[in-house]
Amino acid sequence: MKFSEIISQFGDISTNNSLTTNPEQDIEITGVAAIDEAETGTISYVEGGKFTSLISETNASALILPEDQTLQTQAQERGIAWVSTREPKLLFAKVLTIFYQPYRPNPEIHPTAVIHPTAKIGSDVYIGPHAVVQERVEIGNHAVIHPNVVIYPDVKIGDRTTLHANCTIHERSQIGTNCVVHSGAVIGAEGFGFVPTRTGWFKMEQSGYTVLEDGVEIGCNTAVDRPAVGETRIGRDTKIDNLVQIGHGSQIGMGCAIAGQAGMAGGVKVGNRVILAGQVGIANQVKIGDGAIASAQTGIHSDVPPKEIVSGTPAMPHKIYLKVSAITSRLPEMYQAFKRWQRQ
């Protein structure tokens, strides 16, 4: 595909390009690549000035650049075609869709799939080998159910949703449209509910619901538990990484991003557009305000205000955490000074 054809497809977010002054740079683009691994014929991107050295070394034939005249001049001097945009990573993600589309099987129901006669299956649905669809399940149009998926009774799955191989959807789960649940994930399993008694633990049955709103994506081996009463809800367009634990009765807002190995206890309330980095832990019943960010390995035991950035365990405002970290690195030196003071 010609470079000019790529630019024309995404003119809504590009602001300038090298073809306006060098039309001979309308080269053939055959693929995409990371800038440090790019070969002739590929297109890559950089997000800012800290990647200046990579522009001087890359073998890419075209680059997606920020609105930075210095970077554009540097690419031009090397004979690299470029297009500029306010959001280089977003444009690169869109270009990537030209050269790669995820595997999507043609609609069919494999003869080894086990489907209960009370299940309702929409049009143009794919159900793969050895998938199990139990009583009163409803599957929307154009859904994809990959091999070995197990769907318990009374589950509802929306249009164009994809369930990848070996994931499990338990009873009382509702999954919206355009959702993706990756391999090994478990949606709607029993929450961790046990009441202590003199003779041991009494199991509290988990009779609630688990709801994934439209556009939610759940990573591999993630668990979203159902509660004893009420519901566990994941808001529209929220993206959850691999190996994440969502406790029973938690409420997660819209447009959140939760990275791998994060975990939250029951009853946590997370606002809209919250970002939780890897291995963040959140205690029972904590509330996280809209737009808040928790950096990696933060331990959150109390409520976080909207738009606050927190770090450390226990969590504290990020600016304070940086000061604490600087002091911590000097503790051996400070301890030696303290011992000298004691001797004197």
Side-chain angles (χ1 to χ4, degrees):
M1 174 177 284
K2 290 290 186 180
F3 185 52
S4 60
E5 295 178 86
I6 292 175
I7 293 173
S8 65
Q9 289 193 41
F10 306 110
D12 56 328
I13 63 171
S14 63
T15 56
N16 196 7
N17 65 80
S18 60
L19 298 184
T20 57
T21 56
N22 297 86
E24 71 279 0
Q25 285 188 328
D26 193 15
I27 37 82
E28 190 75 22
I29 301 298
T30 58
V32 294
I35 189 169
D36 56 345
E37 300 174 353
E39 299 176 353
T40 301
T42 60
I43 183 171
S44 188
Y45 80 105
V46 296
E47 288 192 90
K50 66 179 181 178
F51 299 103
T52 300
S53 61
L54 295 176
I55 296 177
S56 63
E57 299 169 0
T58 186
N59 292 320
S61 295
L63 288 174
I64 300 168
L65 301 175
E67 296 174 323
D68 185 318
Q69 186 64 50
T70 301
L71 297 181
Q72 295 166 13
T73 300
Q74 187 179 1
Q76 194 70 47
E77 289 174 348
R78 289 208 57 213
I80 300 173
W82 56 268
V83 57
S84 66
T85 175
R86 294 183 181 88
E87 301 176 282
K89 192 171 186 178
L90 174 60
L91 181 51
F92 182 74
K94 291 189 174 185
V95 170
L96 202 129
T97 63
I98 296 174
F99 297 97
Y100 170 76
Q101 289 293 323
Y103 166 67
R104 186 179 181 86
N106 294 323
E108 70 163 331
I109 297 178
H110 195 274
T112 63
V114 179
I115 302 175
H116 195 274
T118 60
K120 297 179 181 179
I121 312 298
S123 62
D124 297 319
V125 170
Y126 170 81
I127 301 180
H130 305 291
V132 177
V133 179
Q134 297 188 4
E135 297 97 317
R136 300 174 299 281
V137 168
E138 297 181 18
I139 299 176
N141 302 327
H142 307 285
V144 174
I145 314 298
H146 283 284
N148 299 321
V149 169
V150 177
I151 305 175
Y152 279 59
D154 301 306
V155 168
K156 295 182 180 180
I157 297 169
D159 296 345
R160 299 177 300 281
T161 283
T162 297
L163 306 181
H164 284 281
N166 300 302
C167 71
T168 304
I169 315 298
H170 284 257
E171 67 266 26
R172 296 174 176 252
S173 294
Q174 300 173 8
I175 300 178
T177 62
N178 298 308
C179 292
V180 179
V181 179
H182 284 279
S183 298
V186 180
I187 308 300
E190 294 180 339
F192 192 64
F194 297 91
V195 181
T197 71
R198 294 179 179 179
T199 58
W201 296 97
F202 183 84
K203 183 179 180 66
M204 180 179 289
E205 296 299 341
Q206 306 294 290
S207 68
Y209 295 83
T210 304
V211 180
L212 273 55
E213 295 183 3
D214 297 345
V216 169
E217 296 202 19
I218 305 293
C220 297
N221 297 317
T222 283
V224 182
D225 290 349
R226 89 175 174 270
V229 293
E231 63 181 26
T232 302
R233 179 175 288 268
I234 312 296
R236 176 172 54 83
D237 200 40
T238 283
K239 313 301 181 184
I240 299 177
D241 197 5
N242 303 333
L243 298 165
V244 172
Q245 164 67 28
I246 307 296
H248 53 88
S250 292
Q251 307 285 313
I252 299 176
M254 299 182 297
C256 297
I258 302 177
Q261 298 185 341
M264 58 187 69
V268 169
K269 289 182 170 56
V270 177
N272 301 323
R273 301 174 303 281
V274 170
I275 297 175
L276 304 178
Q279 296 186 335
V280 167
I282 306 177
N284 191 54
Q285 303 294 327
V286 164
K287 297 177 182 179
I288 311 289
D290 291 351
I293 298 174
S295 64
Q297 296 189 327
T298 298
I300 303 176
H301 299 87
S302 57
D303 294 352
V304 176
K307 298 185 179 180
E308 183 73 86
I309 302 175
V310 295
S311 300
T313 301
M316 63 190 78
H318 186 67
K319 290 182 179 179
I320 295 176
Y321 171 78
L322 292 176
K323 295 177 181 179
V324 170
S325 298
I327 293 172
T328 300
S329 67
R330 295 181 56 201
L331 282 178
E333 171 192 342
M334 295 167 67
Y335 177 65
Q336 292 302 322
F338 175 72
K339 288 180 67 176
R340 287 195 297 270
W341 175 79
Q342 278 187 317
R343 287 195 294 269
Q344 293 170 4

